[in-house]
Amino acid sequence: MRRQLLLALLLSTVSFTPLATAVSAGGMAVVRLDADPTGVLVDVPWKFGFMVRQHDISPNSDVTPRVNAQHRDTGEKLEATGHQVGPVGHFLAEVTFPLAGEWKWSITPEPYAATSFETLTVYASPVGASAAEADAAAPVSLDATLTARVHAGTCAALGEDVPSINDAAVTGSAIEREVGAASAVPITITTLTLDRPLAELIASDYAIDLFIDAASPSGSACGEIGGPIVNDDLVVGLRQREGSDDAGIALLRGDRERTEITVYHFSVAPPAASSDVEIRIVQAGEWAFSPDRVEIAAGTTVTWINDTDTSHTVTGRDLAFADSSPLGPGESFNQRFSEPGTYAYFCGPHPDMAGTIVVTGG
Ligand SMILES: [Cu+2]
């Protein structure tokens, strides 16, 4: 390994906020990665290359690129420095993430301001990384409180319920991440294990009752146990009860003693009228976000579209905001805001460009 590639990696006390770095008068530089990061693993050194261009045009080696990253849950920070390797304006850096999860990160080509990049997912194992790369995971929402119960009898006449050994909403580490369209139908998942064989559940009348609202006396959706066997699972449909918009699919897998049930719930309500919001990045004298302040209901997706002829970023001032990478001319970035609050953001290379998203209750 060449010595110039060996970079000190420190737990940093330097503020992550790109604004904390000095911005030299009259200049700005944009950082572009050689390739989008994929499959970054915890505790495994990650080497990557990037270009620094003055005004997003002229390669510039006369900078000191500082890599800053911060874990979105723990706030843990790390810092590294890139070294010039290859053509003018090209650098290499190496970072080792000590913790899996989501890291916000940026590169500050000192003395210029920082360029942010899309939040990086660091995986605990190659299995997680390859599964996520294959985009195999379905979008999952965990907003609803979901409970499923198996009863003797039919949906119209539920009998005694079958005690479950354990049941749990599928949360956190079981779900690798959500991928794809932000407008994907949200799915909630719960699992339960019954202390009796699947053959017994098939042999007489049983039904799965699904509760979204724990206060309702009977569930929101229900299905009698029966249906096709697919890949060793019995697939059971759960139909919405009268007045409910909830439906689901249950997969039952059993052996001689136990049956494991995974219930996938979704709403069959028609989508609410789109309230999605666009913010244009414009040149009106100065570059600006237009409008620079929007007020939206929780659950709204905001799309930023770059109408200028240079690159900009959409970079949050705190960990609640998921940053963009540099957006070239005509490129866009979107983010869904599900939590009420005030989200301040700016453009990394041009910190005078700033905006605010105010999210109200849904
Ligand atoms: Cu900008």
Side-chain angles (χ1 to χ4, degrees):
M1 182 183 294
R2 280 181 290 175
R3 193 162 178 78
Q4 63 200 5
L5 295 185
L6 294 172
L7 300 171
L9 174 61
L10 308 167
L11 287 182
S12 170
T13 55
V14 175
S15 167
F16 173 69
T17 307
L19 278 185
T21 53
V23 180
S24 78
M28 47 195 66
V30 175
V31 182
R32 287 282 193 167
L33 302 177
D34 292 352
D36 288 336
T38 55
V40 179
L41 299 179
V42 71
D43 290 336
V44 177
W46 173 49
K47 291 175 192 162
F48 58 96
F50 54 91
M51 284 292 299
V52 177
R53 289 190 182 86
Q54 208 65 22
H55 298 278
D56 203 21
I57 298 170
S58 314
N60 182 0
S61 291
D62 194 20
V63 300
T64 304
R66 308 284 185 197
V67 181
N68 288 87
Q70 187 170 17
H71 194 276
R72 288 189 75 189
D73 293 331
T74 68
E76 184 165 352
K77 294 172 182 173
L78 55 82
E79 183 183 348
T81 302
H83 287 220
Q84 204 273 317
V85 176
V88 172
H90 187 261
F91 294 79
L92 291 177
E94 179 179 312
V95 174
T96 303
F97 292 93
L99 201 60
E102 292 195 337
W103 290 80
K104 276 178 69 134
W105 72 294
S106 65
I107 298 175
T108 305
E110 294 177 354
Y112 305 104
T115 295
S116 66
F117 300 97
E118 268 185 51
T119 296
L120 179 65
T121 302
V122 174
Y123 296 96
S125 72
V127 174
S130 56
E133 273 174 40
D135 279 4
V140 172
S141 159
L142 298 168
D143 297 341
T145 306
L146 184 67
T147 310
R149 288 279 175 265
V150 173
H151 294 260
T154 64
C155 288
L158 291 177
E160 197 173 327
D161 72 325
V162 180
S164 57
I165 297 169
N166 52 34
D167 53 331
V170 176
T171 60
S173 58
I175 296 165
E176 275 298 337
R177 62 169 182 163
E178 297 185 23
V179 298
S183 55
V185 175
I187 304 284
T188 48
I189 305 174
T190 189
T191 65
L192 61 159
T193 303
L194 303 187
D195 201 4
R196 65 183 68 185
L198 181 56
E200 185 181 326
L201 298 176
I202 294 170
S204 56
D205 285 348
Y206 284 94
I208 300 173
D209 202 28
L210 189 61
F211 294 81
I212 310 303
D213 177 3
S216 73
S218 64
S220 303
C222 186
E224 278 96 26
I225 291 182
I229 302 280
V230 180
N231 296 331
D232 296 333
D233 289 328
L234 171 60
V235 183
V236 174
L238 308 180
R239 176 183 288 130
Q240 70 262 42
R241 286 191 182 275
E242 197 175 340
S244 159
D245 288 325
D246 298 296
I249 293 280
L251 302 184
L252 285 68
R253 176 171 298 208
D255 58 21
R256 289 169 166 275
E257 291 169 1
R258 293 184 174 188
T259 302
E260 289 183 10
I261 304 176
T262 305
V263 178
Y264 299 85
H265 154 263
F266 52 91
S267 171
V268 293
S274 172
S275 58
D276 291 353
V277 165
E278 278 183 8
I279 296 174
R280 319 293 300 202
I281 301 174
V282 298
Q283 177 147 22
E286 310 271 289
W287 293 309
F289 296 105
S290 177
D292 64 357
R293 180 189 169 90
V294 294
E295 196 169 315
I296 58 175
T300 302
T301 296
V302 176
T303 302
W304 286 262
I305 302 157
N306 182 5
D307 289 338
T308 74
D309 56 9
T310 191
S311 293
H312 306 274
T313 68
V314 179
T315 304
R317 295 201 189 275
D318 61 39
L319 294 174
F321 191 102
D323 300 341
S324 79
S325 291
L327 304 176
E331 291 182 339
S332 65
F333 167 72
N334 65 62
Q335 178 168 180
R336 182 171 182 270
F337 292 87
S338 49
E339 293 293 324
T342 299
Y343 299 80
Y345 66 93
F346 61 102
C347 170
H350 320 120
D352 288 343
M353 298 171 60
T356 305
I357 308 285
V358 178
V359 181
T360 59

